Amino acid sequence: MADKIRLGFIGTGGIARAHADALTKVTGAEIAAVTDAVPEAASAMADRTGATVYDSARSLAKDGGVDAIFIFLPPFAHGEAERAALEAKIPFFCEKPVGLDEGLLKEIAAEVESSGLLTSVGYMTRYRKSVQRVRDILADDPPIMAFGGWWGGSPGNHPWWTDKSKSGGQFHEQATHTVDLARYLFGEAVEVYAASANGFNKGIPGYTMDDAVTVAIRFANGGVANLMSSCSSNAGGSLFMDIHSLNHNFHFTEWNHSVVIKTKDAETEQITGEEGIFTIEDQVFVDAVRSGDRSGIRSTYPDGVKSALISLASNRSLATGKPVSL
């Protein structure tokens, strides 16, 4: 593999622009091909990066001459891009959450596993020193309970995010990072039960989401978590997670997941979340494509599917009013 890694972008919206900025700091990365359902968006990204525009995911995968593909799509739009990468045997990075259709997600995950294709999912929090430190501690002192959430204000007019049939709702599309963090630290979930608050946000075009959601999760290790999301907190938002084990308390705060670690009969430890986390996870993926060494990748596509299935199960629980087994 050449030192220069040619990358293709499928989807060129806001998250693609964030990664494009991050990739300018990644050694050996070149954005060479782009495509988007909105031609003007693809052209804007091409102007920004010097990439060539293709008219579809399949044409990019077939003719773009890329070494790896980044998939930046809304939850409802997944499927064709991943299959195009699989058919062309091109490693791919998929931003979270990886989709909405449980059956499709499981099919693609099985194809990735059977093919052995190199993949990564954009759960960037896993790459933080704070998270790795806490995970190391919990390996010997297992987590018992977590309480956390993702609060934000009422959304404006958005082409797909406020339509739950397209985004999956805030808990699935945005709070997925909090869900994944809990799963990364506790292990696999076995049951979820969800309740929602509705009718508080008013006058938002195309709004079908829940105003707030609370989800109880039971894990295979015996631990439990209560995770929440809200898009109705106009006085200010927040992102946090508190975890306790027998001998430790952990308090994660804000988007960068700084952590305060309290240990029984020991001094308190603090780790500040690092900047440039997109660059860190993108560098790991590019390096893996170049070398074939996957050991640095924290979340593969099949692993990312497992996190998506938790929040999709919470939507089923909301619809039925009953617990859902995983």
Side-chain angles (χ1 to χ4, degrees), residues 7-11 15-16 19 22-23 67-73 78 81-82 85 90-96 98 117-124 127 177 277-286 288-289 297-301:
L7 304 173
F9 274 21
I10 300 176
I15 191 64
H19 278 273
L23 284 162
D67 302 304
I69 289 172
F70 278 77
I71 300 172
F72 304 119
L73 296 173
H78 285 274
E82 291 84 351
I90 298 174
F92 69 87
F93 176 107
C94 186
E95 257 302 346
K96 49 46 66 181
V98 292
L117 190 68
L118 190 157
T119 59
S120 182
V121 170
Y123 286 117
M124 73 280 183
Y127 294 86
H177 286 294
I277 196 64
F278 286 148
T279 296
I280 292 170
E281 70 169 348
D282 289 353
Q283 183 74 67
V284 169
F285 177 65
V286 170
V289 172
I297 292 177
R298 304 291 186 194
S299 179
T300 64
Y301 181 87

Side-chain angles (χ1 to χ4, degrees), residues 121-140:
V121 170
Y123 286 117
M124 73 280 183
T125 300
R126 293 187 179 206
Y127 294 86
R128 293 192 180 280
K129 293 177 182 178
S130 59
V131 171
Q132 290 301 314
R133 172 65 175 143
V134 171
R135 195 167 190 252
D136 287 344
I137 294 171
L138 292 176
D140 296 318

Side-chain angles (χ1 to χ4, degrees), residues 145-151 171 175 177-179 181-182 186 213-217 224-230 238-244 250-253 257:
M145 187 189 78
F147 173 70
W150 189 304
W151 277 272
F171 191 77
H177 286 294
T178 304
V179 173
L181 178 59
F186 277 75
V213 171
T214 181
V215 181
I217 305 174
V224 294
N226 187 0
L227 305 182
M228 298 161 288
S229 68
S230 172
S238 178
L239 192 163
F240 79 96
M241 183 182 288
D242 289 344
I243 301 170
H244 82 78
F250 310 92
H251 180 55
F252 288 102
T253 53
H257 286 78

Side-chain angles (χ1 to χ4, degrees), residues 4-28:
K4 182 70 73 174
I5 301 299
R6 288 171 52 86
L7 304 173
F9 274 21
I10 300 176
T12 56
I15 191 64
R17 293 191 292 273
H19 278 273
D21 289 343
L23 284 162
T24 63
K25 304 177 184 70
V26 169
T27 304

